[in-house]
Amino acid sequence: MQLVTRTEWGAPAETPAADLPTALGVDVHWIGGPYTTPDHSQCAAEVRAIRQEHLSDPVQHWVDIAYNFVVCQHGYVFEGRGLHKESGANGNQTVNHARYAVCAIQGTNESAGDTLLQGLRDAIDYLQANGAGDEIRGHRDDFNTDCPGDELYAWVQAGAPRPGGGGSPTPTPSPSPSAGPAWPGEYLALRTPMLHDDNVRTWQQRMRDRGWSITVDGWYGPASASICRQFQTEKNLDPVDGIVGPVTWGAAMRTDNIT
Ligand SMILES: [Zn+2]
Ligand SMILES: [Zn+2]
C-alpha cells in the first residue's frame, strides 16, 4: 500500500475526531461532481482542498476531513482521520458509528481505473486489519445519495474485488515473451522519501538493456520518472504518468516490442 500520511500531505499529525476502535465495516464514497485527475503531484493539494471544504462547511461543522482514507486514481492512499477514528462522511451518526469511510477521488466524468480500485482495496484491507468488520457497502446503501456512483457501486456489490484477483496486487497477465520477472506488486513512482529498492533496480536495468540512457542505482528519482514517461509515450500506454505499474512494467519486460 502506498500510504500518504497526514503530515506528508500537509495536515496536522493528530485529528480531533472521536475514537472508534472497531466498526462493522467500511462505506465506499466518491467525491462526485466533475473532476479531472491531474498529475499525481497535484493530488495532495486536492486532499488539502477537500479537508478545507469540510472544515469550513457551515452545516456539518466537521472537525477534520470527514473520511478515514482518501484514494487517488494513481492508487495512493491518503490518511484522512485514519485508523480507529469515527468518520463524519456517512450521513448520520448511526452509520458513522457503524462504518469507516473510504473516498475515491473520482469525478462523475471519470471511470474507476484498476489503479484506483487497487488503492481502495488497500485502504479497505488496512481498515479491516485494524478493527473494521468485513461489511463493505456503498454510501447509497446507508443514506439517500448517488454516492459512490454506479461504477464503484457495482464494484462494491461484487465484493470490492482486487483487480486481477488474489490478496495482493497481481501483474496483468501478458502472453508476450518476457525478458524479466513479473511485476512485483509495487508501484514505482516519485515519492517522498524517494523510493529506493531492488524493484527499481530491476526496472532500471531492464530499461538500460533496452537502450535507454538510465543510471541503474535503485533510486526512483526524476530521471527515472522522465524515462518512464518517454517510454509510456513511445508505447502508447495510458496514462502517461511516470509511474511503473503492472502495464508499464510488463511492456518494459517484453522482448518483442523493442524499437
Ligand atoms: Zn459518500
Ligand atoms: Zn494521485
Side-chain angles (χ1 to χ4, degrees), residues 28-31 67 89-90 102-103 138-140 145-148:
V28 173
H29 299 253
W30 69 346
I31 57 171
Y67 308 109
N90 292 330
V102 171
C103 180
H139 190 193
R140 66 173 67 169
T145 170
D146 285 341
C147 183

Side-chain angles (χ1 to χ4, degrees):
M1 178 171 71
Q2 300 181 110
L3 182 69
V4 183
T5 64
R6 289 173 62 89
T7 47
E8 282 172 340
W9 61 264
E14 298 296 325
T15 176
D19 290 332
L20 184 68
T22 61
L24 295 173
V26 178
D27 267 16
V28 173
H29 299 253
W30 69 346
I31 57 171
Y35 181 76
T36 300
T37 293
D39 186 85
H40 180 66
S41 59
Q42 305 301 310
C43 289
E46 173 63 15
V47 179
R48 288 195 294 273
I50 294 169
R51 178 171 182 267
Q52 202 48 53
E53 203 176 293
H54 288 179
L55 283 176
S56 50
D57 189 288
V59 177
Q60 300 281 355
H61 302 296
W62 278 301
V63 296
D64 198 351
I65 189 167
Y67 308 109
N68 295 88
F69 292 94
V70 179
V71 180
C72 72
Q73 290 270 12
H74 312 98
Y76 286 76
V77 178
F78 291 82
E79 181 187 33
R81 296 184 175 198
L83 298 173
H84 307 303
K85 290 291 179 180
E86 184 182 311
S87 130
N90 292 330
N92 62 55
Q93 215 170 28
T94 305
V95 190
N96 286 335
H97 278 152
R99 288 180 192 81
Y100 301 112
V102 171
C103 180
I105 307 182
Q106 179 199 344
T108 48
N109 52 308
E110 294 186 318
S111 66
D114 279 0
T115 309
L116 174 68
L117 300 182
Q118 297 278 13
L120 290 171
R121 187 68 235 191
D122 285 345
I124 292 167
D125 286 350
Y126 189 43
L127 282 162
Q128 288 182 340
N130 289 278
D134 49 15
E135 282 188 14
I136 304 171
R137 295 162 68 106
H139 190 193
R140 66 173 67 169
D141 288 322
D142 292 312
F143 199 69
N144 181 23
T145 170
D146 285 341
C147 183
D150 291 345
E151 194 185 3
L152 272 183
Y153 186 61
W155 177 72
V156 165
Q157 286 206 302
R162 186 176 287 282
S168 60
T170 318
T172 305
S174 166
S176 309
S178 170
W183 183 59
E186 174 186 50
Y187 288 87
L188 311 183
L190 272 182
R191 65 174 79 145
T192 311
M194 199 183 288
L195 180 60
H196 180 230
D197 64 23
D198 285 345
N199 295 329
V200 175
R201 190 178 295 276
T202 300
W203 174 81
Q204 287 172 331
Q205 183 61 57
R206 179 65 194 143
M207 295 304 282
R208 195 174 176 85
D209 292 344
R210 294 183 69 104
W212 293 85
S213 175
I214 187 171
T215 307
V216 182
D217 58 5
W219 290 95
Y220 200 88
S224 286
S226 167
I227 296 279
C228 176
R229 274 200 191 82
Q230 292 172 55
F231 177 72
Q232 289 170 329
T233 302
E234 180 191 292
K235 298 302 176 204
N236 289 316
L237 303 181
D238 183 33
V240 174
D241 56 6
I243 297 172
V244 183
V247 174
T248 302
W249 179 283
M253 296 303 157
R254 282 168 60 173
T255 54
D256 60 346
N257 65 346
I258 300 173
T259 52

